[in-house]
């Protein structure tokens, strides 16, 4: 598939702070491409350079064959953007917002049809202030699509939504891609990236530290298991951490989380049984994108701050 976005050696500095340091990636036509990273990693700055909202210090960006700064007027007609902190006047009604934004474009989508497709048909006369969080997110997506864009950039799409609204929004994004729109998705939710993205670029400290499909990134993590359970009686960590097949143990309230090799489950349950400890609500998980993300970005927030320029 041809690339619709190409970023080569992008660099952006704010005073002494390097926000983006030699970032390169390409987004293929028709895919959902994710940009992941901890807070302050450079995700939003990278995307703002792609959108033409910021000027990079050096590097090259090509979006649909256009330079985002030189050809910004033309790119605006072909690129839809859902901003991380977008707000509208409280009294502006949904239908009014769609018609207003549609007037900015050469070939706007039909506002009524778009509202119907995005589940806003019954809210067209509703003021922005009266919308639920999920409805506001649907409206922000509708405004990004009202110009019939070829590419849509969605930044922190589901932040602040409840679990059901988040899942509804994920279904909506898959429908948008089915309409032929290429999507660049900025997120820090691993489940969101696993559910939606064909490929992801993980950015940490302003650099791309990995680029692959979510499944392939998960496979990079050393094979093994994560075992969660509630012990029937207290025990010392060393009972399990001394086992050769166990690589780590953490506690989350009264839940014990053990990580280890593919043989860890048998080793852990055998030791617990010998000590008359029942493992209640036991659950075994395989490594996923979140494990890869932690391994790639250094784990905890303190470590990430040390690695960020």
């Amino acid at each position: 598939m041809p690339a619709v976005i190409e970023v080569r050696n992008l660099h952006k500095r704010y005073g002494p702070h390097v926000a983006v340091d030699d970032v390169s990636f390409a987004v293929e036509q028709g895919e959902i491409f994710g940009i992941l990273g901890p807070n302050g990693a450079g995700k939003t700055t990278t995307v703002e350079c792609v959108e033409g909202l910021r000027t990079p210090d050096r590097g090259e960006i090509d979006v649909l064959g256009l330079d985002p700064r030189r050809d910004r007027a033309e790119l605006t007609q072909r690129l839809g953007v859902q901003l991380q902190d977008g707000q509208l006047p409280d009294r502006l009604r949904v239908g009014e917002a769609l018609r207003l934004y549609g007037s900015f474009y050469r070939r706007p989508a039909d506002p009524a049809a778009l509202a119907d497709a995005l589940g806003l048909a019954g809210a067209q006369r509703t003021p922005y202030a009266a919308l639920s969080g999920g409805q506001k997110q649907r409206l922000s997506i509708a405004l990004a699509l009202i110009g019939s864009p070829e590419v849509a950039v969605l930044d922190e799409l589901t932040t602040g939504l409840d679990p059901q609204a988040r899942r509804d929004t994920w279904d909506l994004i898959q429908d948008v891609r089915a309409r032929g729109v290429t999507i660049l998705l900025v997120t820090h939710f691993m489940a969101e990236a696993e559910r939606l993205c064909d490929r992801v670029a993980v950015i940490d400290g302003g650099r791309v530290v990995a680029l692959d499909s979510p499944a392939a990134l998960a496979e990079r993590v050393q094979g093994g298991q994560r075992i969660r359970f509630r012990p029937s009686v207290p025990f010392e960590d060393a009972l399990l951490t001394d086992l050769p097949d166990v690589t780590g143990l953490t506690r989350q309230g009264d839940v014990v989380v053990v990580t280890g090799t593919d043989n860890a489950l048998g080793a852990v349950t055998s030791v617990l049984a010998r000590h008359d400890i029942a493992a209640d609500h036991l659950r075994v998980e395989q490594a996923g994108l979140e494990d890869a993300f932690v391994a790639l970005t250094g784990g905890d927030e303190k470590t990430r701050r040390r690695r960020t320029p």
Side-chain angles (χ1 to χ4, degrees), residues 3-243:
V4 295
I5 300 175
E6 292 188 81
V7 177
R8 296 178 291 274
N9 308 115
L10 183 67
H11 187 94
K12 181 66 178 178
R13 176 189 293 271
Y14 300 104
H17 174 65
V18 177
V20 180
D21 188 8
D22 202 35
V23 163
S24 298
F25 62 86
V27 180
E28 297 177 358
Q29 183 178 356
E31 75 173 334
I32 300 178
F33 185 93
I35 296 183
L36 310 181
N39 292 333
K43 306 186 300 295
T44 296
T45 296
T46 297
V47 169
E48 287 177 345
C49 290
V50 170
E51 296 164 349
L53 299 178
R54 295 191 185 275
T55 303
D57 299 323
R58 63 174 181 268
E60 298 179 3
I61 303 174
D62 184 291
V63 183
L64 297 167
L66 303 170
D67 181 295
R69 297 297 296 180
R70 185 190 65 227
D71 307 315
R72 186 174 178 184
E74 176 61 24
L75 183 60
T76 299
Q77 294 292 322
R78 302 172 65 185
L79 179 71
V81 177
Q82 178 259 334
L83 297 175
Q84 182 176 352
D85 297 314
Q87 292 290 326
L88 293 174
D90 286 348
R91 298 176 64 182
L92 186 66
R93 300 177 187 274
V94 169
E96 293 171 339
L98 289 170
R99 290 190 294 274
L100 173 64
Y101 275 62
S103 69
F104 302 153
Y105 296 96
R106 290 192 300 258
R107 296 183 300 275
D110 177 74
L114 187 60
D116 184 57
L118 299 186
L120 293 169
Q124 291 218 51
R125 296 185 59 81
T126 303
Y128 182 77
L131 298 175
S132 67
Q135 288 175 318
K136 287 180 178 178
Q137 286 295 71
R138 287 175 177 269
L139 178 57
S140 71
I141 296 168
L143 296 178
L145 299 178
I146 191 66
S148 303
E150 298 165 58
V151 177
V153 180
L154 309 176
D155 193 351
E156 302 294 2
L157 179 68
T158 59
T159 297
L161 296 187
D162 62 64
Q164 184 58 56
R166 181 172 294 128
R167 285 170 172 76
D168 290 345
T169 303
W170 292 347
D171 291 341
L172 176 60
I173 296 310
Q174 290 174 322
D175 290 343
V176 170
R177 192 257 290 274
R179 296 157 67 100
V181 181
T182 301
I183 297 172
L184 180 60
L185 176 68
V186 183
T187 184
H188 64 270
F189 289 122
M190 298 303 106
E192 185 163 281
E194 283 187 306
R195 171 77 172 268
L196 295 177
C197 296
D198 300 296
R199 293 185 301 138
V200 297
V202 180
I203 296 181
D204 188 33
R207 288 179 172 270
V208 174
V209 296
L211 197 164
D212 215 324
S213 69
L217 290 179
E219 289 175 1
R220 295 190 190 185
V221 181
Q222 185 175 6
Q225 299 173 330
R226 184 189 295 110
I227 305 161
R228 298 175 181 269
F229 63 93
R230 287 186 173 89
S232 58
V233 296
F235 66 90
E236 296 294 327
D237 291 0
L239 181 68
L240 299 182
T241 55
D242 287 346
L243 295 172

